[in-house]
Protein backbone atom coordinates (compact mmCIF):
# COMPACT_ATOMS: atom_id res chain seq x y z
CA UNK A 1 0.00 0.00 0.00
CA UNK A 2 1.53 3.31 -1.15
CA UNK A 3 1.31 6.44 0.91
CA UNK A 4 0.99 9.78 -0.84
CA UNK A 5 2.74 12.62 0.87
CA UNK A 6 1.29 16.03 0.08
CA UNK A 7 3.73 18.91 0.05
CA UNK A 8 2.79 22.50 0.54
CA UNK A 9 3.00 24.63 -2.62
CA UNK A 10 6.22 26.56 -2.84
CA UNK A 11 5.88 30.29 -2.49
CA UNK A 12 7.58 32.44 -5.14
CA UNK A 13 10.75 34.01 -3.87
CA UNK A 14 10.39 37.78 -3.81
CA UNK A 15 13.72 39.50 -4.26
CA UNK A 16 14.43 42.68 -2.35
CA UNK A 17 13.89 45.92 -4.23
CA UNK A 18 17.65 46.58 -4.38
CA UNK A 19 18.16 43.30 -6.28
CA UNK A 20 15.30 43.93 -8.70
CA UNK A 21 16.65 47.28 -9.88
CA UNK A 22 18.97 47.27 -12.86
CA UNK A 23 21.63 49.53 -11.39
CA UNK A 24 23.59 49.72 -14.62
CA UNK A 25 20.66 51.26 -16.48
CA UNK A 26 19.65 53.39 -13.53
CA UNK A 27 23.17 54.73 -12.92
CA UNK A 28 23.06 57.57 -15.51
CA UNK A 29 19.80 58.93 -14.08
CA UNK A 30 20.94 58.60 -10.47
CA UNK A 31 24.27 60.30 -11.14
CA UNK A 32 22.54 63.10 -13.04
CA UNK A 33 20.11 63.68 -10.19
CA UNK A 34 23.01 63.65 -7.73
CA UNK A 35 24.85 66.25 -9.83
CA UNK A 36 21.84 68.57 -9.87
CA UNK A 37 21.33 68.07 -6.14
CA UNK A 38 24.95 68.94 -5.32
CA UNK A 39 24.75 71.93 -7.67
CA UNK A 40 21.56 73.19 -6.01
CA UNK A 41 22.92 72.76 -2.49
CA UNK A 42 26.20 74.46 -3.40
CA UNK A 43 24.40 77.52 -4.77
CA UNK A 44 22.23 77.71 -1.65
CA UNK A 45 25.14 77.19 0.75
CA UNK A 46 27.35 79.80 -0.92
CA UNK A 47 24.44 82.16 -1.63
CA UNK A 48 25.52 82.54 -5.24
CA UNK A 49 23.68 85.23 -7.24
CA UNK A 50 21.97 84.00 -10.43
CA UNK A 51 24.16 86.29 -12.52
CA UNK A 52 27.18 84.23 -11.43
CA UNK A 53 25.86 80.68 -11.05
CA UNK A 54 22.11 80.04 -11.24
CA UNK A 55 20.69 77.08 -9.39
CA UNK A 56 19.24 74.20 -11.43
CA UNK A 57 15.74 75.28 -10.43
CA UNK A 58 16.38 78.71 -12.01
CA UNK A 59 17.77 77.05 -15.12
CA UNK A 60 14.68 74.86 -15.52
CA UNK A 61 12.51 77.95 -14.99
CA UNK A 62 14.40 79.58 -17.85
CA UNK A 63 13.80 76.48 -20.00
CA UNK A 64 10.04 76.80 -19.41
CA UNK A 65 10.02 80.58 -19.85
CA UNK A 66 12.07 80.61 -23.07
CA UNK A 67 10.88 77.28 -24.43
CA UNK A 68 10.05 78.55 -27.92
CA UNK A 69 13.42 80.20 -28.75
CA UNK A 70 15.33 77.33 -27.13
CA UNK A 71 13.43 74.80 -29.26
CA UNK A 72 13.89 76.72 -32.52
CA UNK A 73 17.57 77.39 -31.94
CA UNK A 74 18.15 73.79 -30.82
CA UNK A 75 16.73 72.53 -34.10
CA UNK A 76 19.01 74.91 -36.02
CA UNK A 77 22.09 73.75 -34.11
CA UNK A 78 21.11 70.10 -34.54
CA UNK A 79 20.67 70.67 -38.27
CA UNK A 80 24.04 72.37 -38.81
CA UNK A 81 25.82 69.85 -36.60
CA UNK A 82 24.27 66.81 -38.28
CA UNK A 83 24.92 68.13 -41.78
CA UNK A 84 28.55 68.97 -41.03
CA UNK A 85 28.99 65.61 -39.31
CA UNK A 86 27.57 63.67 -42.26
CA UNK A 87 29.91 65.46 -44.65
CA UNK A 88 32.80 64.62 -42.31
CA UNK A 89 31.76 60.95 -42.25
CA UNK A 90 31.75 60.64 -46.04
CA UNK A 91 34.92 62.67 -46.61
CA UNK A 92 36.73 61.21 -43.62
CA UNK A 93 35.99 57.63 -44.62
CA UNK A 94 37.12 58.27 -48.20
CA UNK A 95 40.33 60.05 -47.19
CA UNK A 96 41.06 57.51 -44.47
CA UNK A 97 40.85 54.68 -46.99
CA UNK A 98 43.08 56.62 -49.36
CA UNK A 99 45.71 57.35 -46.70
CA UNK A 100 45.65 53.77 -45.43
CA UNK A 101 46.04 52.35 -48.94
CA UNK A 102 49.81 52.80 -49.01
CA UNK A 103 52.57 53.38 -46.49
CA UNK A 104 53.97 56.09 -48.76
CA UNK A 105 50.66 57.96 -48.86
CA UNK A 106 50.29 57.47 -45.10
CA UNK A 107 53.76 58.87 -44.42
CA UNK A 108 53.23 61.82 -46.76
CA UNK A 109 49.72 62.98 -45.79
CA UNK A 110 49.61 62.13 -42.09
CA UNK A 111 51.91 65.03 -41.02
CA UNK A 112 49.79 67.42 -43.10
CA UNK A 113 46.65 66.17 -41.35
CA UNK A 114 48.26 66.69 -37.95
CA UNK A 115 49.29 70.22 -38.88
CA UNK A 116 45.79 71.04 -40.11
CA UNK A 117 44.19 69.63 -36.98
CA UNK A 118 46.54 71.72 -34.82
CA UNK A 119 44.99 74.92 -36.21
CA UNK A 120 42.24 76.17 -33.84
CA UNK A 121 39.03 75.97 -35.83
CA UNK A 122 37.76 79.19 -34.28
CA UNK A 123 40.56 80.93 -36.17
CA UNK A 124 39.06 79.65 -39.44
CA UNK A 125 35.59 81.06 -38.78
CA UNK A 126 36.46 84.63 -39.91
CA UNK A 127 37.86 83.20 -43.15
CA UNK A 128 34.69 81.18 -43.70
CA UNK A 129 32.62 84.32 -43.08
CA UNK A 130 34.63 86.19 -45.74
CA UNK A 131 34.05 83.37 -48.21
CA UNK A 132 30.43 82.43 -47.46
CA UNK A 133 29.00 85.25 -45.33
CA UNK A 134 27.21 85.04 -41.99
CA UNK A 135 24.74 82.18 -41.68
CA UNK A 136 24.40 78.43 -41.80
CA UNK A 137 27.26 77.58 -44.15
CA UNK A 138 30.14 78.63 -41.82
CA UNK A 139 28.56 76.65 -38.97
CA UNK A 140 28.22 73.53 -41.14
CA UNK A 141 31.79 73.83 -42.41
CA UNK A 142 33.18 74.40 -38.92
CA UNK A 143 31.36 71.31 -37.65
CA UNK A 144 32.78 69.40 -40.61
CA UNK A 145 36.35 70.61 -40.11
CA UNK A 146 36.49 69.87 -36.41
CA UNK A 147 34.95 66.37 -36.67
CA UNK A 148 36.82 65.35 -39.81
CA UNK A 149 40.21 64.49 -38.30
CA UNK A 150 39.22 61.71 -35.83
CA UNK A 151 37.43 59.78 -38.57
CA UNK A 152 40.37 60.00 -40.98
CA UNK A 153 42.91 58.98 -38.35
CA UNK A 154 40.93 56.00 -37.07
CA UNK A 155 40.13 54.61 -40.52
CA UNK A 156 43.74 55.05 -41.68
CA UNK A 157 45.02 53.45 -38.47
CA UNK A 158 42.74 50.46 -38.92
CA UNK A 159 44.11 49.90 -42.41
CA UNK A 160 47.74 50.54 -41.48
CA UNK A 161 47.74 48.00 -38.65
CA UNK A 162 47.00 44.91 -40.74
CA UNK A 163 49.40 42.17 -39.69
CA UNK A 164 52.15 41.64 -42.29
CA UNK A 165 51.72 37.89 -41.87
CA UNK A 166 48.11 38.19 -42.99
CA UNK A 167 49.11 40.14 -46.08
CA UNK A 168 51.84 37.62 -46.91
CA UNK A 169 49.44 34.68 -46.64
CA UNK A 170 46.83 36.39 -48.82
CA UNK A 171 49.42 37.34 -51.45
CA UNK A 172 50.66 33.74 -51.47
CA UNK A 173 47.10 32.66 -52.20
CA UNK A 174 46.95 35.03 -55.15
CA UNK A 175 45.15 37.98 -53.57
CA UNK A 176 45.80 41.43 -54.99
CA UNK A 177 46.13 44.71 -53.12
CA UNK A 178 42.46 45.54 -53.75
CA UNK A 179 41.36 42.11 -52.52
CA UNK A 180 43.29 42.56 -49.27
CA UNK A 181 41.77 46.01 -48.82
CA UNK A 182 38.19 44.90 -49.44
CA UNK A 183 38.23 41.57 -47.57
CA UNK A 184 40.58 42.33 -44.67
CA UNK A 185 41.47 46.01 -44.44
CA UNK A 186 38.02 47.59 -44.56
CA UNK A 187 36.35 45.05 -42.20
CA UNK A 188 39.27 45.48 -39.81
CA UNK A 189 38.96 49.28 -39.84
CA UNK A 190 35.19 49.30 -39.19
CA UNK A 191 35.50 49.11 -35.36
CA UNK A 192 37.91 52.05 -35.53
CA UNK A 193 35.54 53.92 -37.84
CA UNK A 194 32.38 53.47 -35.79
CA UNK A 195 34.31 54.16 -32.59
CA UNK A 196 35.51 57.47 -34.05
CA UNK A 197 31.92 58.53 -34.79
CA UNK A 198 31.24 58.90 -31.06
CA UNK A 199 34.15 61.33 -30.76
CA UNK A 200 33.39 63.14 -33.99
CA UNK A 201 29.73 63.88 -33.20
CA UNK A 202 30.59 65.61 -29.92
CA UNK A 203 33.29 67.65 -31.64
CA UNK A 204 30.81 68.61 -34.36
CA UNK A 205 28.61 70.26 -31.74
CA UNK A 206 31.60 72.25 -30.54
CA UNK A 207 32.33 73.47 -34.07
CA UNK A 208 28.77 74.50 -34.88
CA UNK A 209 28.26 76.35 -31.58
CA UNK A 210 31.57 78.21 -31.93
CA UNK A 211 30.60 79.35 -35.41
CA UNK A 212 27.06 80.29 -34.34
CA UNK A 213 28.49 82.41 -31.56
CA UNK A 214 30.71 84.37 -33.95
CA UNK A 215 29.03 84.28 -37.35
CA UNK A 216 25.33 83.43 -37.22
CA UNK A 217 21.98 84.93 -36.34
CA UNK A 218 20.49 81.58 -35.38
CA UNK A 219 21.35 78.56 -33.26
CA UNK A 220 22.08 77.93 -29.61
CA UNK A 221 25.48 79.60 -29.87
CA UNK A 222 23.91 82.86 -31.04
CA UNK A 223 21.16 82.59 -28.42
CA UNK A 224 23.64 82.09 -25.58
CA UNK A 225 25.82 84.94 -26.84
CA UNK A 226 22.81 87.28 -26.89
CA UNK A 227 21.73 86.10 -23.43
CA UNK A 228 25.24 86.67 -22.09
CA UNK A 229 25.25 90.26 -23.37
CA UNK A 230 21.99 90.82 -21.46
CA UNK A 231 23.35 89.14 -18.28
CA UNK A 232 20.63 86.50 -18.60
CA UNK A 233 22.82 83.76 -17.17
CA UNK A 234 19.95 81.28 -16.50
CA UNK A 235 19.16 81.34 -20.23
CA UNK A 236 22.84 80.70 -21.00
CA UNK A 237 22.78 77.61 -18.80
CA UNK A 238 19.45 76.59 -20.36
CA UNK A 239 21.19 76.67 -23.75
CA UNK A 240 24.04 74.58 -22.35
CA UNK A 241 21.50 72.10 -21.01
CA UNK A 242 19.87 71.85 -24.44
CA UNK A 243 23.29 71.24 -26.00
CA UNK A 244 24.01 68.51 -23.45
CA UNK A 245 20.73 66.76 -24.23
CA UNK A 246 21.38 66.88 -27.98
CA UNK A 247 24.96 65.70 -27.54
CA UNK A 248 23.96 62.78 -25.34
CA UNK A 249 21.22 61.75 -27.77
CA UNK A 250 23.54 61.81 -30.78
CA UNK A 251 26.31 60.04 -28.86
CA UNK A 252 23.85 57.33 -27.84
CA UNK A 253 22.83 56.94 -31.49
CA UNK A 254 26.46 56.53 -32.56
CA UNK A 255 27.07 54.04 -29.74
CA UNK A 256 24.02 52.05 -30.88
CA UNK A 257 25.32 52.04 -34.46
CA UNK A 258 28.74 50.91 -33.23
CA UNK A 259 27.24 48.03 -31.26
CA UNK A 260 24.91 47.13 -34.12
CA UNK A 261 27.55 47.15 -36.85
CA UNK A 262 30.68 46.01 -34.99
CA UNK A 263 29.38 44.05 -32.01
CA UNK A 264 31.56 41.16 -33.09
CA UNK A 265 34.66 43.20 -32.25
CA UNK A 266 33.70 43.76 -28.59
CA UNK A 267 34.45 40.86 -26.29
CA UNK A 268 34.81 42.60 -22.95
CA UNK A 269 34.59 40.45 -19.82
CA UNK A 270 34.80 43.38 -17.42
CA UNK A 271 32.50 42.83 -14.44
CA UNK A 272 29.74 45.25 -13.47
Amino acid sequence: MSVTIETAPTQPVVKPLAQRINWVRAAPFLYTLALFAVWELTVIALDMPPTILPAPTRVFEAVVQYWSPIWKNSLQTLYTTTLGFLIAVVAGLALGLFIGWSKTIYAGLYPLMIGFNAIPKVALVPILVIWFGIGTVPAVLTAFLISFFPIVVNVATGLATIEPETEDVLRALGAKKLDIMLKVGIPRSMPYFFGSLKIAITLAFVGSVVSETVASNYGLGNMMSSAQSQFNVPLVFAGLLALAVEGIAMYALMAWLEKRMTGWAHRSTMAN
Side-chain angles (χ1 to χ4, degrees):
M1 180 176 179
S2 61
V3 178
T4 303
I5 301 176
E6 296 184 358
T7 58
T10 58
Q11 296 294 330
V13 178
V14 180
K15 295 182 179 180
L17 179 62
Q19 296 182 9
R20 284 182 286 161
I21 297 176
N22 189 330
W23 292 106
V24 175
R25 293 186 177 181
F29 302 98
L30 296 176
Y31 278 69
T32 302
L33 291 175
L35 173 63
F36 284 127
V38 172
W39 180 1
E40 184 81 24
L41 294 174
T42 301
V43 171
I44 295 174
L46 299 178
D47 195 20
M48 300 288 290
T51 54
I52 301 297
L53 180 63
T57 50
R58 293 292 297 270
V59 174
F60 288 118
E61 288 175 3
V63 170
V64 175
Q65 181 179 357
Y66 300 100
W67 172 254
S68 180
I70 291 175
W71 173 253
K72 292 178 181 178
N73 287 290
S74 296
L75 291 180
Q76 175 65 20
T77 299
L78 183 62
Y79 167 73
T80 56
T81 301
T82 304
L83 184 56
F85 171 72
L86 291 177
I87 298 173
V89 169
V90 175
L93 181 59
L95 185 58
L97 293 175
F98 178 71
I99 293 176
W101 175 265
S102 168
K103 292 182 179 180
T104 303
I105 299 175
Y106 186 93
L109 290 183
Y110 199 76
L112 297 178
M113 295 296 302
I114 295 176
F116 174 77
N117 189 63
I119 300 174
K121 302 306 178 284
V122 66
L124 299 177
V125 175
I127 299 176
L128 297 177
V129 172
I130 294 174
W131 289 350
F132 303 102
I134 294 176
T136 301
V137 176
V140 172
L141 291 178
T142 308
F144 157 70
L145 292 173
I146 201 171
S147 60
F148 175 69
F149 184 76
I151 299 175
V152 175
V153 169
N154 279 272
V155 173
T157 301
L159 293 175
T161 54
I162 301 176
E163 293 83 356
E165 297 81 3
T166 303
E167 294 188 42
D168 294 339
V169 170
L170 291 174
R171 286 197 182 97
L173 295 174
K176 298 180 180 180
K177 178 75 173 180
L178 183 59
D179 296 327
I180 298 174
M181 175 72 74
L182 293 177
K183 297 182 179 180
V184 178
I186 293 179
R188 179 186 176 84
S189 65
M190 285 300 98
Y192 294 87
F193 169 65
F194 283 99
S196 69
L197 296 185
K198 296 186 294 184
I199 302 173
I201 189 59
T202 55
L203 293 176
F205 275 102
V206 175
S208 60
V209 171
V210 167
S211 183
E212 288 171 352
T213 304
V214 178
S216 180
N217 295 322
Y218 305 98
L220 289 174
N222 176 262
M223 185 195 73
M224 290 188 294
S225 180
S226 300
Q228 181 183 7
S229 64
Q230 301 170 7
F231 294 96
N232 192 348
V233 181
L235 180 57
V236 175
F237 276 84
L240 293 175
L241 183 62
L243 277 174
V245 172
E246 289 185 346
I248 292 173
M250 294 300 292
Y251 183 94
L253 177 59
M254 296 304 110
W256 178 81
L257 284 175
E258 180 189 21
K259 184 177 180 180
R260 179 85 176 179
M261 302 301 294
T262 61
W264 51 269
H266 299 274
R267 300 195 273 291
S268 175
T269 58
M270 184 173 60
N272 294 334

